[in-house]
Amino acid sequence: TSYEYGSIAMPLSDNLKLGIHAIYLNYGSIPRITEDGSGILKDELGTFNPNDMGVGVSLGYKMNENFSIGLTAKYAAESIDTFSVTGMMFDAGFMLNIEGINIGLAGYNFGTLSSDTTPVFGRLGVSTKFSIQSENDLTIGVGAGYAPASSKISESIGAEYCYANLLSVRGSYGAGTDLESLNIGAGIKGEIEGIQGSLDYNFSLLGDVGQAH
């Protein structure tokens, strides 16, 4: 299994920013198994490679010092053997700062996928910053997600330490879904002529599914 992600963001004005991202998930090679009329596994007929991909364009607008809104339009496609779905979806959310505490609320995947319903879900997150060696170099956050289709609620907690506003290390734990996860990562970021960039690596333990990078 491999997961690839790339993104770029740039300012359009003092309060308006544009972002573009692309995601590709390959589940690897899976044997294609047939079964007889009684449901007993019979023959192996080669393999297939399921994969997901998506590209999106985002706009974020800072209303004032304490309130921002965002909107994303994205195209997604999924392929499993001879079956595939495609569609357009939208995300929307806002972030509010109250005395140093950031509160974010967002809804994801509004739209259609080849006439099927999309996996709509919502997320709520709360984070704040602490000063260890320099100002606001440690961020701690907690979050919760809700999927209406299954009525499931998930929870997560994470932390990130940023040294000299350049090198970051982070970790998080997620529970309450079919797949609990432990994530450890690091990244480096910089800015050239007003354009910000970053390079990140993440290692995840995904229970029975195994590991992902």
Side-chain angles (χ1 to χ4, degrees), residues 59-64 66-72 91-98 101-108 110 122-127:
L59 288 174
Y61 186 72
K62 186 176 181 181
M63 307 287 290
N64 55 49
N66 298 313
F67 186 70
S68 301
I69 58 175
L71 176 67
T72 295
D91 308 334
F94 71 85
M95 186 169 67
L96 177 66
N97 183 287
I98 302 177
I101 298 175
N102 291 309
I103 302 171
L105 179 66
Y108 299 85
F110 299 103
R123 282 179 177 166
L124 171 67
V126 179
S127 69

Side-chain angles (χ1 to χ4, degrees), residues 108-178:
Y108 299 85
N109 300 337
F110 299 103
T112 59
L113 282 173
S114 299
S115 75
D116 292 332
T117 58
T118 56
V120 174
F121 67 99
R123 282 179 177 166
L124 171 67
V126 179
S127 69
T128 190
K129 294 181 179 292
F130 298 91
S131 300
I132 305 300
Q133 291 186 326
S134 59
E135 185 177 1
N136 295 331
D137 56 357
L138 175 65
T139 302
I140 296 178
V142 295
Y146 176 70
S150 61
S151 299
K152 287 187 176 181
I153 298 177
S154 59
E155 307 87 26
S156 61
I157 183 171
E160 178 184 72
Y161 176 76
C162 183
Y163 175 75
N165 200 33
L166 177 66
L167 178 65
S168 298
V169 292
R170 60 185 70 92
S172 67
Y173 176 75
T177 64
D178 296 332

Side-chain angles (χ1 to χ4, degrees), residues 15-28:
N15 294 329
L16 182 65
K17 288 183 171 59
L18 170 70
I20 301 172
H21 74 269
I23 301 171
Y24 180 72
L25 175 61
N26 189 312
Y27 297 91

